[in-house]
Amino acid sequence: MASLLGKKPDTPDTPEIEVPMDPAQIKLDEEMVERIAMAPLVARVREQLNEADTSRYVAENQWIKNLQAYRGVDSNSAGKNGDKTEFRGSEEHKPYIRTTTVKTRAAYAQIMESLLQNSRFPLMIEATPVSSGAPNIAVMDPNAPQESQEDFGIGFNGDGQELSPGSTQANMSWKETDPLYAELSKGHDRSGGQFAQLSPASKAASQMNKMIQDQLEESNASTELRKSVFEACLLGSGLMKGVFSEEKTIHKWTEGQYTPETIKQPKVRSTSLWDLYIDPNAVVFDDAEWVVERHRKTAKQMRDLLGVSGFRADKVQQCIDAGANYTNMRFEHIVRQEEAIMNEGKLWEVLEYWGYISKEEALTAGLSLDGDAPQVQVNLWICGDEILRVMTNPFLPQRIPYFLFNYEADAYNLYGTGVPECMEDSQKMMNGFARLAVDNLALAGNMVFDVDESMLVAGQDYDIYPGKVFRRQGGQAGNAVTGIKFPSTANENLQMMDTFRRQADEATGIPSVSHGQTGVSGTGRTASGLNMILENASLNIKTVIRNMDDDLLQPLGQMLFFWNNQYNSTKIPEGDFDCVATGIRSYTKNEIKVQRLQTLLQLSQNPALAPMIKLPYLIRELVKGMDLDPEEIINDMDEAKIYAQIIGMAGGMQGGGASPEMPTGDPATSNATANTEGAGNPEGI
């Protein structure tokens, strides 16, 4: 019995049952791990946003003052942002003299008229003085001696024009780029004008210029530029964003069937200064380590992100399902004139970050890196706690894709000075003296009565109207009711207001005559005096346009050129190009340029000077100055020869009356139009 009790009963082995994991739980756990890994990156971006928001508080106050002055609203309405002004209780009338509005519009109109006077975006592609692609000069003489390499800038190691490994004559030949060059040889014409001389480098630059102008027109760059320039005049700084790739659909039909084609196009657009938060440690924009752009997006705009390449569709959908999360900033009730967001509960806040992060943060975010660089420039899109998009900067060379330019630059501040800020004190003084004049006239233009009730019968009505009769008890006539008139000081106040209006002209550099003021006195009464005033005033606008050339147009043109080399390299003509901002060039009046070219053209009629002047270049520049397309006006060399023969034959018929094949007459006395060679005509036209 004891043995039986001590013996353990035999029990069959029970197999372990594996419980399958719920796929939804697995996905939830993965999302939780990813969110925890991404949380430091999201927190860092939001911390930088708060830092930039706090640092620009003073600048925002000034922008609000500028905006209110432009709208003709007193700054006491802007008290919610920290700046408040109270009226005196005696100020019954509060007119606002909207000189700031007129000056801002005048500055904007002058700048845009100068930049877009040819209806083209103010950018130009030109051939470099020494081209490393297509040569600057080529001749149609097949037996022309080849010039030395020094003539084409290939002379020393390190000059940027070394041969790449594997280069051959076939893939180096600039003739392969255009059949027009098949009969050309490098070098100048040594035959004394028997062969035509062309510039393949200029031809390639012209083709490149047309392509970029077409891309700018397709992206509505001129309209976006207008928005940025207006904000620069108003707030002191403007912003453009680009260059980005945009998928564009080309609508095509083949044999009646709709066959659309999708191509890549560069895109530039305007960005509001209110929405971009810049690294506060940067004194100039190029020194900024990061920027954050704040977007207000509707539900439709959020759904549009689902189909955009690079965005994580699942994260975008999660943000949409979680509901709107937009909160307005402190300035929005003034800038957008809203006490509350109009679409409250229907807007999402999306942050777009461009800047550097550490290599460890990039690896944590799942980016694959090449090289051993300690930091990486990335683009992040964040909504709430979710990262909608994370990628390295795809453009080469890498740079933050924003361009900040100032109306008047401040050497010690990132942001510039606008027109309203320049005339802020003058505007306040004009308003003050106008109000004094109106308040004074409200008293001086009315009668105030002194009534001696002891001389009148009691119980009378004291209302004053024509034919009123006062009943008296006695005393001398006229002493019971006496009219009092206050002195008028309106003229003195209006003179002071006009003085400060002229002070506003000096402060802004925009004279009143330039935006339609009448009754001009002094120097502006004569045509020469008025012209002198306007020429001096143009110096201020020239400075603004130079700021735009240096900070916006020149780097934007370079980015467009880089984009084409990266995404559109098969359509780029072979050559060596410079991107030139033509803002200040456009400001120079074309009429003056045309007059100078015409004077030079007259000099070419002198037989002694004609061989020294390049007529094709002169004619081409003259056509450009007339705002015409040289390609449509000027014949190429083959067409020129045909027309020269026609003109020569027509001249021979007029001179001697013989047939075109056998012209007669003394060559010295024949019609000049028959001479297709000679001084001033090196092409033989």
Side-chain angles (χ1 to χ4, degrees), residues 541-591:
I541 298 300
K542 285 182 180 179
T543 304
V544 178
I545 294 177
R546 283 193 178 95
N547 291 340
M548 295 182 60
D549 280 350
D550 295 340
D551 299 331
L552 170 64
L553 299 176
Q554 187 76 19
L556 179 61
Q558 292 176 351
M559 290 299 293
L560 276 167
F561 180 71
F562 295 150
W563 185 94
N564 279 283
N565 275 278
Q566 185 173 357
Y567 297 104
N568 198 27
S569 59
T570 58
K571 297 182 180 180
I572 294 180
E574 184 178 350
D576 196 3
F577 310 120
D578 274 340
C579 298
V580 180
T582 59
I584 199 62
R585 282 192 192 181
S586 301
Y587 196 78
T588 303
K589 301 300 182 183
N590 270 345
E591 292 82 0

Side-chain angles (χ1 to χ4, degrees), residues 265-413:
Q265 283 277 17
K267 177 72 174 176
V268 296
R269 70 174 179 84
S270 173
T271 300
S272 176
L273 193 62
W274 299 97
D275 295 330
L276 190 71
Y277 294 82
I278 305 171
D279 180 7
N281 298 316
V283 178
V284 295
F285 186 78
D286 289 340
D287 294 340
E289 186 178 345
W290 51 266
V291 298
V292 179
E293 183 180 356
R294 188 169 175 266
H295 298 274
R296 289 196 338 164
K297 290 193 175 294
T298 63
K300 176 188 177 302
Q301 292 172 328
M302 290 294 292
R303 289 192 295 269
D304 289 342
L305 296 179
L306 293 171
V308 177
S309 175
F311 279 84
R312 307 160 78 185
D314 55 337
K315 300 299 181 183
V316 175
Q317 189 61 51
Q318 287 180 15
C319 293
I320 296 174
D321 296 339
N325 62 351
Y326 189 86
T327 56
N328 62 323
M329 304 296 281
R330 57 177 177 269
F331 57 81
E332 293 191 53
H333 65 279
I334 298 172
V335 175
R336 298 187 171 95
Q337 296 181 321
E338 305 167 358
E339 289 300 326
I341 296 298
M342 294 173 61
N343 294 322
E344 187 175 5
K346 299 180 181 179
L347 292 174
W348 281 258
E349 179 190 63
V350 179
L351 304 180
E352 182 181 358
Y353 174 87
W354 291 87
Y356 289 95
I357 62 175
S358 66
K359 182 177 180 180
E360 291 75 15
E361 290 174 321
L363 294 174
T364 303
L367 295 176
S368 57
L369 305 179
D370 296 330
D372 298 328
Q375 58 184 2
V376 184
Q377 192 176 105
V378 298
N379 173 225
L380 302 175
W381 287 66
I382 297 173
C383 181
D385 295 330
E386 301 292 345
I387 295 183
L388 308 183
R389 181 184 189 181
V390 54
M391 63 183 301
T392 56
N393 190 329
F395 304 107
L396 298 173
Q398 291 184 341
R399 78 179 302 275
I400 295 177
Y402 294 87
F403 306 95
L404 178 76
F405 63 96
N406 296 325
Y407 182 84
E408 286 187 9
D410 185 346
Y412 307 105
N413 193 4

Side-chain angles (χ1 to χ4, degrees), residues 17-256:
I17 300 176
E18 296 183 359
V19 179
M21 296 289 291
D22 185 4
Q25 182 63 37
I26 295 175
K27 182 178 179 181
L28 185 63
D29 292 342
E30 292 177 351
E31 291 178 353
M32 184 63 65
V33 171
E34 182 184 3
R35 182 172 299 178
I36 293 174
M38 295 290 193
L41 197 55
V42 174
R44 171 184 171 175
V45 172
R46 293 199 172 276
E47 180 182 356
Q48 290 174 332
L49 174 64
N50 293 333
E51 179 184 351
D53 181 41
T54 304
S55 67
R56 76 173 200 182
Y57 185 81
V58 175
E60 277 184 9
N61 283 340
Q62 184 60 57
W63 299 345
I64 289 176
K65 290 180 186 178
N66 294 356
L67 183 60
Q68 297 291 67
Y70 176 79
R71 290 175 175 171
V73 179
D74 286 289
S75 58
N76 66 327
S77 301
K80 297 179 181 179
N81 205 54
D83 178 45
K84 191 173 182 180
T85 302
E86 296 291 346
F87 290 110
R88 301 192 309 271
S90 61
E91 276 188 290
E92 297 294 336
H93 304 88
K94 306 176 181 65
Y96 199 103
I97 311 302
R98 298 190 63 173
T99 308
T100 298
T101 306
V102 177
K103 296 286 187 190
T104 304
R105 289 175 178 172
Y108 167 70
Q110 290 182 35
I111 294 172
M112 295 312 303
E113 178 66 20
S114 301
L115 293 179
L116 302 178
Q117 64 177 349
N118 296 327
S119 302
R120 297 190 189 95
F121 197 85
L123 270 178
M124 182 180 293
I125 305 299
E126 293 182 345
T128 58
V130 179
S131 176
S132 61
N136 294 92
I137 298 296
V139 66
M140 297 188 71
D141 182 3
N143 300 318
Q146 297 296 315
E147 299 187 359
S148 62
Q149 290 184 337
E150 286 76 5
D151 292 337
F152 302 101
I154 308 175
F156 58 91
N157 293 329
D159 62 355
Q161 301 177 10
E162 299 87 350
L163 299 181
S164 58
S167 296
T168 63
Q169 182 64 28
N171 58 32
M172 285 171 51
S173 176
W174 50 274
K175 297 181 182 182
E176 300 295 333
T177 61
D178 195 329
L180 176 64
Y181 304 147
E183 299 180 0
L184 298 181
S185 300
K186 292 182 181 179
H188 294 75
D189 180 23
R190 310 295 188 187
S191 63
Q194 296 182 8
F195 296 95
Q197 184 172 285
L198 299 177
S199 175
S202 298
K203 177 74 173 179
S206 177
Q207 293 177 355
M208 186 71 185
N209 186 63
K210 285 187 175 182
M211 183 173 65
I212 286 186
Q213 286 292 336
D214 179 68
Q215 292 171 348
L216 289 168
E217 185 176 350
E218 290 290 338
S219 64
N220 295 322
S222 297
T223 302
E224 300 297 325
L225 180 64
R226 290 180 184 274
K227 299 176 185 177
S228 297
V229 170
F230 177 76
E231 198 163 72
C233 296
L234 179 61
L235 304 182
S237 299
L239 278 166
M240 289 283 284
K241 181 180 181 182
V243 177
F244 296 99
S245 298
E246 180 185 42
E247 297 288 341
K248 181 182 178 181
T249 301
I250 305 297
H251 303 284
K252 298 171 61 177
W253 281 262
T254 303
E255 298 180 355

